[in-house]
């Protein structure tokens, strides 16, 4: 299982796992729970340059449509095709098989994101 304390988070309910200059991005279990059963995921293409805080994709559930925001400036280096083919992975394994994209980023920029304690406080203490 992923150690949630090693991840960084955004106020838009995304998590970021940094490995060198590649950030794996997904949505948190909190966001997945609030969305309900995810039925469709649209992600940016590989090679796409993204800008922090801009919409780069869409997540649709049986309850609503949510937007996926880029947590950092960077280039999309990998897209999780498994989650496009089986959107329920976002619900069943949000911190594992349900990851969404990998971005090449400035690793130093990750330090400005929320840590686990700050994210839990943001969500009202819901883990």
């Amino acid at each position: 299982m992923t150690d949630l304390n090693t991840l960084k988070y955004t106020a838009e309910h995304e998590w970021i796992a940094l490995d060198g200059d590649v950030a794996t991005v997904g949505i948190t279990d909190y966001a997945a729970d609030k969305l309900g059963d995810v039925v469709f995921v649209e992600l940016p293409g590989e090679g796409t340059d993204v800008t922090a805080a801009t919409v780069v994709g869409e997540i649709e559930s049986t309850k609503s449509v949510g937007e996926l925001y880029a947590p950092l400036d960077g280039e999309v280096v990998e897209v999780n095709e498994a989650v496009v083919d089986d959107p329920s992975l976002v619900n069943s394994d949000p911190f594992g098989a349900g990851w969404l994209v990998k971005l090449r980023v400035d690793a130093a920029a990750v330090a400005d994101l929320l840590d686990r304690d700050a994210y839990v406080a943001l969500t009202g203490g819901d883990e």
Side-chain angles (χ1 to χ4, degrees), residues 22-124:
V22 175
T24 301
V25 179
I27 66 167
T28 65
D29 51 348
Y30 176 87
D33 183 56
K34 293 296 181 198
L35 276 170
D37 294 334
V38 175
V39 296
F40 176 78
V41 175
E42 179 182 81
L43 300 171
E46 288 181 22
T48 302
D49 288 326
V50 298
T51 303
T54 62
V55 175
V56 296
E58 190 173 277
I59 300 174
E60 293 183 22
S61 71
T62 54
K63 290 184 188 177
S64 66
V65 176
E67 295 175 324
L68 175 65
Y69 292 87
L72 302 160
D73 292 344
E75 177 191 355
V76 178
V77 294
E78 190 175 344
V79 173
N80 187 353
E81 294 296 340
V83 87
V84 173
D85 295 338
D86 182 5
S88 69
L89 289 171
V90 172
N91 296 108
S92 64
D93 193 9
F95 295 105
W99 65 273
L100 302 173
V101 296
K102 293 186 180 189
L103 305 174
R104 179 159 286 111
V105 300
D106 174 0
V110 175
D112 295 333
L113 300 175
L114 302 172
D115 64 14
R116 182 69 182 168
D117 290 341
Y119 181 72
V120 169
L122 175 78
T123 60

